[in-house]
Amino acid sequence: MRVAVVGVQGDVEEHVLATKLAMKKLGIEGDVVATRRPGVVERSDAVILPGGESTTISKLIFRNVGRKNMAEEIISLAEQGKPVMGTCAGLILLSKYGDDQVERTETKLLGLLDVRVKRNAFGRQRESFQVPLKFKGVGTVEAVFIRAPAVVEVGRNVEVLAEFERYVVAVREGSVIGLAFHPELNAEFGDTKIHEYFLNASLD
Ligand code: GLN
């Protein structure tokens, strides 16, 4: 199994390590590669979009290199039912609808999750925090939120996986998973439950 981590910006290395550890625990042979250019995602079995700054990551994935761009490759993997996971800024990019910040910055979204997201939903008082979350199909996970977005509208075919206070913070539509928090940070403490869930999310 080959897993690609979109490596243009953000917490890329943490996702690479978390995925490698999750593969080892599940006994899956393969490799995990961070990539900044088109050509790798299209030859992968799964892809992760890390957190970071959604405006920056969007520009880079939609930028053509030759005749290809990474955005098209990510959409194609999703259409094939292969696991696609976005965390934090990655959740924003996977969504169909954004908020006024997304509009104002003319951030292009991939539209793979039929949800509306709100950037920086938890405000300045709570820029980052950690809470135990009940995650459907996984159990309780310690979730780290860092200037996190939230899902504020959910389409009919979207499954809600976790909620915190009045917000939806984890969703799934087919093989596409979006999380408002940062599961890659838990791998440091040996917890790779979310990455294992992701690796198992193939629809074939
Ligand atoms: N606030 C960032 C954004 O809107 C996301 C933060 C993160 O990915 N940790 O793009």
Side-chain angles (χ1 to χ4, degrees), residues 51-54 88-89 92 119-120 146-147 182:
E53 196 55 44
S54 51
C88 205
I92 299 171
R119 285 183 71 185
N120 304 310
I146 306 168
R147 292 185 296 283
H182 288 266

